Protein backbone atom coordinates (compact mmCIF):
# COMPACT_ATOMS: atom_id res chain seq x y z
CA UNK A 1 0.00 0.00 0.00
CA UNK A 2 1.35 3.35 -1.02
CA UNK A 3 1.68 6.57 0.90
CA UNK A 4 -1.19 8.03 -1.12
CA UNK A 5 -3.42 5.15 -0.08
CA UNK A 6 -2.82 5.86 3.57
CA UNK A 7 -3.31 9.61 3.12
CA UNK A 8 -6.65 8.96 1.40
CA UNK A 9 -7.58 6.63 4.24
CA UNK A 10 -6.67 9.33 6.77
CA UNK A 11 -8.91 11.83 4.95
CA UNK A 12 -11.67 9.27 4.96
CA UNK A 13 -11.10 8.76 8.72
CA UNK A 14 -11.48 12.45 9.48
CA UNK A 15 -14.68 12.49 7.47
CA UNK A 16 -15.92 9.55 9.59
CA UNK A 17 -16.34 7.37 6.56
CA UNK A 18 -13.93 4.56 7.44
CA UNK A 19 -15.12 1.09 8.25
CA UNK A 20 -13.96 -0.55 11.51
CA UNK A 21 -11.57 -2.72 9.52
CA UNK A 22 -10.10 0.31 7.76
CA UNK A 23 -9.68 2.08 11.10
CA UNK A 24 -7.82 -0.88 12.55
CA UNK A 25 -5.58 -1.05 9.49
CA UNK A 26 -4.89 2.68 9.70
CA UNK A 27 -4.05 2.55 13.41
CA UNK A 28 -1.76 -0.38 12.76
CA UNK A 29 0.02 1.51 10.01
CA UNK A 30 0.37 4.70 12.08
CA UNK A 31 1.72 2.72 15.02
CA UNK A 32 4.58 1.41 12.87
CA UNK A 33 5.40 4.22 10.47
CA UNK A 34 8.15 6.78 11.11
CA UNK A 35 7.19 8.91 8.12
CA UNK A 36 6.91 12.50 9.41
CA UNK A 37 4.12 13.12 6.86
CA UNK A 38 1.86 11.14 9.15
CA UNK A 39 2.89 12.76 12.46
CA UNK A 40 -0.21 14.92 12.64
CA UNK A 41 -2.49 12.01 11.89
CA UNK A 42 -0.71 9.93 14.52
CA UNK A 43 -1.23 12.62 17.15
CA UNK A 44 -4.96 12.99 16.42
CA UNK A 45 -5.80 9.29 16.12
CA UNK A 46 -3.84 8.61 19.30
CA UNK A 47 -6.02 11.17 21.18
CA UNK A 48 -9.25 9.61 19.85
CA UNK A 49 -8.04 6.13 20.80
CA UNK A 50 -7.37 7.29 24.35
CA UNK A 51 -10.81 8.89 24.49
CA UNK A 52 -12.44 5.66 23.28
CA UNK A 53 -10.60 3.64 25.92
CA UNK A 54 -11.64 6.03 28.68
CA UNK A 55 -15.24 6.01 27.43
CA UNK A 56 -15.27 2.20 27.35
CA UNK A 57 -13.90 2.11 30.89
CA UNK A 58 -16.55 4.61 32.03
CA UNK A 59 -19.27 2.47 30.43
CA UNK A 60 -17.91 -0.63 32.19
CA UNK A 61 -17.88 1.13 35.54
CA UNK A 62 -21.38 2.53 34.99
CA UNK A 63 -22.63 -0.94 34.08
CA UNK A 64 -20.99 -2.45 37.17
CA UNK A 65 -22.39 0.33 39.33
CA UNK A 66 -25.87 -0.15 37.94
CA UNK A 67 -25.63 -3.91 38.47
CA UNK A 68 -24.49 -3.49 42.06
CA UNK A 69 -27.27 -0.98 42.71
CA UNK A 70 -29.85 -3.34 41.26
CA UNK A 71 -28.52 -6.27 43.28
CA UNK A 72 -28.54 -4.18 46.47
CA UNK A 73 -32.09 -3.05 45.85
CA UNK A 74 -33.28 -6.58 45.17
CA UNK A 75 -31.50 -7.95 48.24
CA UNK A 76 -32.89 -5.17 50.43
CA UNK A 77 -36.45 -5.67 49.19
CA UNK A 78 -36.19 -9.44 49.60
CA UNK A 79 -34.85 -9.22 53.13
CA UNK A 80 -37.30 -6.56 54.23
CA UNK A 81 -40.11 -8.52 52.69
CA UNK A 82 -38.99 -11.63 54.52
CA UNK A 83 -38.61 -9.91 57.85
CA UNK A 84 -41.80 -7.87 57.92
CA UNK A 85 -44.34 -9.94 56.09
CA UNK A 86 -46.02 -12.10 58.68
CA UNK A 87 -45.97 -15.60 57.23
CA UNK A 88 -46.99 -15.34 53.65
CA UNK A 89 -48.22 -18.90 53.72
CA UNK A 90 -50.14 -20.86 56.34
CA UNK A 91 -48.18 -23.80 57.60
CA UNK A 92 -49.16 -26.23 60.33
CA UNK A 93 -46.98 -29.28 60.77
CA UNK A 94 -45.67 -31.61 63.44
CA UNK A 95 -42.55 -33.67 62.94
CA UNK A 96 -42.84 -36.38 65.57
CA UNK A 97 -39.44 -38.11 65.66
CA UNK A 98 -39.19 -37.85 61.90
CA UNK A 99 -42.82 -38.54 61.04
CA UNK A 100 -44.85 -35.73 59.58
CA UNK A 101 -48.38 -34.77 60.64
CA UNK A 102 -50.21 -31.91 58.95
CA UNK A 103 -53.55 -32.27 60.74
CA UNK A 104 -54.22 -28.59 61.39
CA UNK A 105 -56.26 -29.05 64.56
CA UNK A 106 -53.78 -31.51 66.04
CA UNK A 107 -50.96 -29.07 65.39
CA UNK A 108 -52.82 -26.11 66.90
CA UNK A 109 -53.83 -28.16 69.93
CA UNK A 110 -50.20 -29.15 70.45
CA UNK A 111 -49.12 -25.54 70.15
CA UNK A 112 -51.68 -24.38 72.70
CA UNK A 113 -50.70 -27.14 75.11
CA UNK A 114 -47.03 -26.26 74.77
CA UNK A 115 -47.69 -22.61 75.45
CA UNK A 116 -49.84 -23.46 78.47
CA UNK A 117 -47.00 -25.57 79.91
CA UNK A 118 -44.45 -22.88 79.20
CA UNK A 119 -46.44 -20.07 80.77
CA UNK A 120 -47.30 -22.18 83.79
CA UNK A 121 -43.75 -21.32 84.85
CA UNK A 122 -42.47 -22.80 88.10
CA UNK A 123 -43.16 -26.50 88.14
CA UNK A 124 -43.14 -27.08 91.88
CA UNK A 125 -40.69 -28.57 94.41
CA UNK A 126 -41.07 -32.21 93.26
CA UNK A 127 -40.04 -31.36 89.73
CA UNK A 128 -37.16 -29.22 90.94
CA UNK A 129 -35.94 -32.06 93.17
CA UNK A 130 -36.00 -34.50 90.24
CA UNK A 131 -34.11 -32.05 88.09
CA UNK A 132 -31.52 -31.66 90.82
CA UNK A 133 -30.93 -35.40 90.64
CA UNK A 134 -30.18 -35.04 86.95
CA UNK A 135 -27.77 -32.17 87.54
CA UNK A 136 -25.93 -34.14 90.19
CA UNK B 1 -16.46 6.67 41.85
CA UNK B 2 -14.63 4.54 44.38
CA UNK B 3 -16.77 6.05 47.13
CA UNK B 4 -19.92 5.17 45.20
CA UNK B 5 -18.77 1.58 44.85
CA UNK B 6 -18.00 1.36 48.55
CA UNK B 7 -21.45 2.67 49.51
CA UNK B 8 -23.12 0.32 47.07
CA UNK B 9 -21.21 -2.63 48.46
CA UNK B 10 -22.28 -1.69 51.97
CA UNK B 11 -25.87 -1.35 50.78
CA UNK B 12 -25.62 -4.81 49.31
CA UNK B 13 -24.17 -6.38 52.46
CA UNK B 14 -26.31 -4.54 55.02
CA UNK B 15 -29.48 -6.53 54.30
CA UNK B 16 -27.50 -9.71 54.94
CA UNK B 17 -26.50 -8.34 58.33
CA UNK B 18 -30.11 -7.53 59.13
CA UNK B 19 -31.19 -10.99 58.08
CA UNK B 20 -28.56 -12.69 60.22
CA UNK B 21 -29.72 -10.85 63.34
CA UNK B 22 -33.16 -12.31 63.00
CA UNK B 23 -31.74 -15.71 63.78
CA UNK B 24 -31.08 -16.62 67.37
CA UNK B 25 -28.11 -18.24 69.07
CA UNK B 26 -30.51 -21.12 69.77
CA UNK B 27 -31.14 -21.80 66.07
CA UNK B 28 -28.86 -24.90 66.06
CA UNK B 29 -31.28 -26.48 68.55
CA UNK B 30 -34.13 -26.10 66.05
CA UNK B 31 -31.86 -27.27 63.25
CA UNK B 32 -31.33 -30.57 65.03
CA UNK B 33 -27.62 -29.94 65.53
CA UNK B 34 -27.67 -30.58 69.28
CA UNK B 35 -30.29 -33.31 69.50
CA UNK B 36 -31.01 -34.93 66.11
CA UNK B 37 -34.49 -34.42 64.73
CA UNK B 38 -35.30 -38.12 64.71
CA UNK B 39 -35.16 -37.86 68.51
CA UNK B 40 -37.24 -34.70 68.68
CA UNK B 41 -40.90 -33.69 68.52
CA UNK B 42 -41.16 -30.51 66.51
CA UNK B 43 -44.17 -28.29 65.96
CA UNK B 44 -44.31 -25.49 63.42
CA UNK B 45 -47.13 -23.02 62.84
CA UNK B 46 -46.87 -19.99 60.58
CA UNK B 47 -49.01 -17.56 58.65
CA UNK B 48 -52.61 -16.86 59.51
CA UNK B 49 -53.11 -20.25 61.15
CA UNK B 50 -53.00 -18.63 64.58
CA UNK B 51 -54.16 -15.17 63.68
CA UNK B 52 -56.50 -14.81 66.65
CA UNK B 53 -53.57 -14.79 69.09
CA UNK B 54 -51.50 -12.52 66.84
CA UNK B 55 -48.76 -15.14 66.62
CA UNK B 56 -47.30 -15.27 63.13
CA UNK B 57 -44.69 -17.92 63.78
CA UNK B 58 -44.54 -20.65 66.40
CA UNK B 59 -41.74 -23.19 66.45
CA UNK B 60 -41.20 -25.63 69.29
CA UNK B 61 -38.95 -28.60 69.71
CA UNK B 62 -39.16 -31.17 72.50
CA UNK B 63 -36.50 -33.75 73.15
CA UNK B 64 -34.80 -35.83 75.78
CA UNK B 65 -31.17 -34.95 76.26
CA UNK B 66 -28.20 -36.37 78.12
CA UNK B 67 -26.11 -34.11 80.36
CA UNK B 68 -23.76 -33.07 77.56
CA UNK B 69 -26.58 -32.21 75.15
CA UNK B 70 -28.49 -30.42 77.89
CA UNK B 71 -25.45 -28.28 78.70
CA UNK B 72 -25.05 -27.32 75.02
CA UNK B 73 -28.73 -26.42 74.78
CA UNK B 74 -28.72 -24.25 77.88
CA UNK B 75 -25.49 -22.54 76.85
CA UNK B 76 -27.20 -21.42 73.64
CA UNK B 77 -30.30 -20.26 75.50
CA UNK B 78 -28.09 -18.25 77.85
CA UNK B 79 -26.41 -16.59 74.87
CA UNK B 80 -29.82 -15.43 73.70
CA UNK B 81 -30.58 -14.30 77.24
CA UNK B 82 -27.61 -11.95 77.00
CA UNK B 83 -29.29 -10.26 74.03
CA UNK B 84 -32.78 -10.27 75.51
CA UNK B 85 -34.72 -7.11 76.24
CA UNK B 86 -36.27 -8.80 79.26
CA UNK B 87 -35.94 -12.22 80.80
CA UNK B 88 -37.36 -14.54 83.41
CA UNK B 89 -35.10 -17.42 84.32
CA UNK B 90 -34.85 -20.14 86.93
CA UNK B 91 -31.57 -21.75 87.82
CA UNK B 92 -31.11 -24.91 89.85
CA UNK B 93 -27.65 -25.88 91.06
CA UNK B 94 -26.11 -23.62 88.48
CA UNK B 95 -28.20 -25.10 85.65
CA UNK B 96 -30.88 -23.33 83.68
CA UNK B 97 -34.27 -24.96 84.14
CA UNK B 98 -36.59 -22.30 82.79
CA UNK B 99 -36.32 -19.21 80.64
CA UNK B 100 -38.78 -16.81 79.10
CA UNK B 101 -37.00 -14.23 76.97
CA UNK B 102 -38.23 -11.20 75.08
CA UNK B 103 -35.79 -10.83 72.20
CA UNK B 104 -35.12 -7.68 70.18
CA UNK B 105 -37.91 -7.08 67.69
CA UNK B 106 -37.55 -7.84 64.01
CA UNK B 107 -39.11 -4.90 62.24
CA UNK B 108 -42.65 -4.75 63.55
CA UNK B 109 -42.61 -8.32 64.88
CA UNK B 110 -42.03 -9.10 68.53
CA UNK B 111 -39.92 -12.16 69.24
CA UNK B 112 -39.81 -14.51 72.19
CA UNK B 113 -37.82 -17.54 73.22
CA UNK B 114 -38.91 -20.00 75.86
CA UNK B 115 -37.16 -22.93 77.50
CA UNK B 116 -38.36 -25.44 80.05
CA UNK B 117 -36.61 -28.49 81.49
CA UNK B 118 -38.56 -31.43 82.90
CA UNK B 119 -37.57 -34.74 84.44
CA UNK B 120 -37.66 -37.54 81.90
CA UNK B 121 -37.86 -40.38 84.37
CA UNK B 122 -34.70 -41.88 82.94
CA UNK B 123 -31.36 -41.76 84.70
CA UNK B 124 -28.89 -39.38 83.09
CA UNK B 125 -31.53 -37.81 80.86
CA UNK B 126 -33.69 -34.74 81.02
CA UNK B 127 -36.59 -33.61 78.86
CA UNK B 128 -36.64 -30.12 77.53
CA UNK B 129 -38.66 -27.92 75.27
CA UNK B 130 -37.51 -24.84 73.39
CA UNK B 131 -40.06 -22.49 71.87
CA UNK B 132 -39.58 -19.60 69.46
CA UNK B 133 -42.46 -17.20 68.82
CA UNK B 134 -42.87 -14.24 66.50
CA UNK B 135 -45.93 -12.04 66.30
CA UNK B 136 -47.69 -8.82 67.01
CA UNK B 137 -48.56 -9.97 70.51
CA UNK B 138 -46.78 -9.00 73.70
CA UNK B 139 -45.37 -11.13 76.52
CA UNK B 140 -48.14 -9.93 78.81
CA UNK B 141 -50.82 -10.93 76.32
CA UNK B 142 -49.22 -14.34 75.87
CA UNK B 143 -49.23 -14.87 79.62
CA UNK B 144 -52.83 -13.72 79.85
CA UNK B 145 -53.93 -16.02 77.02
CA UNK B 146 -52.03 -19.11 78.09
CA UNK B 147 -51.40 -18.96 81.82
CA UNK B 148 -53.56 -21.64 83.39
CA UNK B 149 -53.02 -20.45 86.94
CA UNK B 150 -51.10 -23.49 88.20
Amino acid sequence: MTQDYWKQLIDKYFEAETTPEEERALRGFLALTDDPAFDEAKAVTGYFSAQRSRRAARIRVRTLTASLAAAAAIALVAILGHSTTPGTEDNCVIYAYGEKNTDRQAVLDDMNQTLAELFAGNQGPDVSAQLNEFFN
Amino acid sequence: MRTKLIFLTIALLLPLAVWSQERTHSQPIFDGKIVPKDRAYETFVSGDANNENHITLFHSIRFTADRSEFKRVTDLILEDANDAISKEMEIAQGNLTYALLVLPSSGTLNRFLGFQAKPSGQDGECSAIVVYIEGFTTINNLKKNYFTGK
Side-chain angles (χ1 to χ4, degrees), chain B residues 51-119:
Chain B
N51 208 19
E52 59 184 31
N53 290 314
H54 306 291
I55 293 175
T56 57
L57 174 67
F58 172 91
H59 194 181
S60 71
I61 187 162
R62 295 174 183 265
F63 48 84
T64 300
D66 60 28
R67 288 189 177 88
S68 167
E69 291 165 336
F70 186 86
K71 175 77 168 54
R72 291 171 66 193
V73 166
T74 54
D75 283 349
L76 292 172
I77 301 290
L78 288 170
E79 283 188 46
D80 280 316
N82 285 336
D83 299 335
I85 296 171
S86 71
K87 61 190 103 173
E88 297 172 34
M89 299 198 297
E90 292 176 13
I91 308 258
Q93 299 195 18
N95 295 280
L96 186 69
T97 59
Y98 179 81
L100 191 57
L101 311 176
V102 179
L103 302 176
S105 300
S106 171
T108 56
L109 290 174
N110 296 325
R111 300 161 67 223
F112 314 94
L113 186 70
F115 166 78
Q116 191 172 44
K118 293 185 173 187

Side-chain angles (χ1 to χ4, degrees), chain A residues 61 65 68-69 71-72 75-76 79 82-83 86-87 89-98 104 107-108 110-112 114-123 127 130-136, chain B residues 1 5 8 12 15 22 37-50 56 58 62 67 70 90 92-93 95 97-98 100 109 116-119 124-126 129 131 133 142-143 146-147:
Chain A
V61 171
T65 302
L68 277 176
L76 188 60
I79 297 304
H82 173 269
S83 67
E89 55 183 70
D90 287 1
N91 197 2
C92 285
V93 61
I94 286 174
Y95 293 99
Y97 313 104
R104 182 186 174 97
V107 176
L108 292 177
D110 182 83
M111 182 190 75
N112 289 329
T114 298
L115 288 172
E117 287 177 34
L118 182 68
F119 288 102
N122 191 313
Q123 303 166 80
V127 172
Q130 291 176 51
L131 285 173
N132 285 339
E133 285 181 27
F134 170 73
F135 297 139
N136 286 330
Chain B
M1 182 53 63
L5 285 176
L8 280 168
L12 180 62
E22 292 177 6
K37 292 213 176 185
D38 59 359
R39 285 172 45 202
Y41 188 100
E42 188 177 7
T43 303
F44 187 87
V45 180
S46 70
D48 289 336
N50 194 31
T56 57
F58 172 91
R62 295 174 183 265
R67 288 189 177 88
F70 186 86
E90 292 176 13
Q93 299 195 18
N95 295 280
T97 59
Y98 179 81
L100 191 57
L109 290 174
Q116 191 172 44
K118 293 185 173 187
E125 288 183 341
C126 180
I129 183 162
V131 180
I133 301 166
L142 284 172
K143 288 180 179 177
Y146 291 102
F147 181 61

Side-chain angles (χ1 to χ4, degrees), chain A:
Chain A
M1 303 199 182
T2 64
Q3 197 182 62
D4 284 339
Y5 169 81
W6 291 113
K7 284 182 179 175
Q8 285 173 14
L9 195 57
I10 288 168
D11 290 338
K12 203 175 167 187
Y13 174 80
F14 286 133
E15 289 168 1
E17 291 177 355
T18 47
T19 65
E21 292 75 21
E22 286 174 331
E23 273 190 50
R24 274 196 293 274
L26 180 59
R27 281 201 296 275
F29 167 74
L30 292 173
L32 295 173
T33 187
D34 292 326
D35 189 334
F38 297 101
D39 282 349
E40 185 180 339
K42 282 167 77 170
V44 173
T45 55
Y47 170 78
F48 281 140
S49 293
Q51 285 294 89
R52 265 198 296 272
S53 297
R54 277 196 287 273
R55 194 182 323 127
R58 277 200 297 271
I59 289 170
R60 280 196 296 274
V61 171
R62 271 202 295 269
T63 304
L64 177 63
T65 302
S67 300
L68 277 176
I74 290 169
L76 188 60
V77 168
I79 297 304
L80 286 177
H82 173 269
S83 67
T84 61
T85 302
T88 52
E89 55 183 70
D90 287 1
N91 197 2
C92 285
V93 61
I94 286 174
Y95 293 99
Y97 313 104
E99 290 197 17
K100 188 175 177 179
N101 179 359
T102 55
D103 182 305
R104 182 186 174 97
Q105 196 56 52
V107 176
L108 292 177
D109 288 345
D110 182 83
M111 182 190 75
N112 289 329
Q113 183 183 341
T114 298
L115 288 172
E117 287 177 34
L118 182 68
F119 288 102
N122 191 313
Q123 303 166 80
D126 290 340
V127 172
S128 297
Q130 291 176 51
L131 285 173
N132 285 339
E133 285 181 27
F134 170 73
F135 297 139
N136 286 330

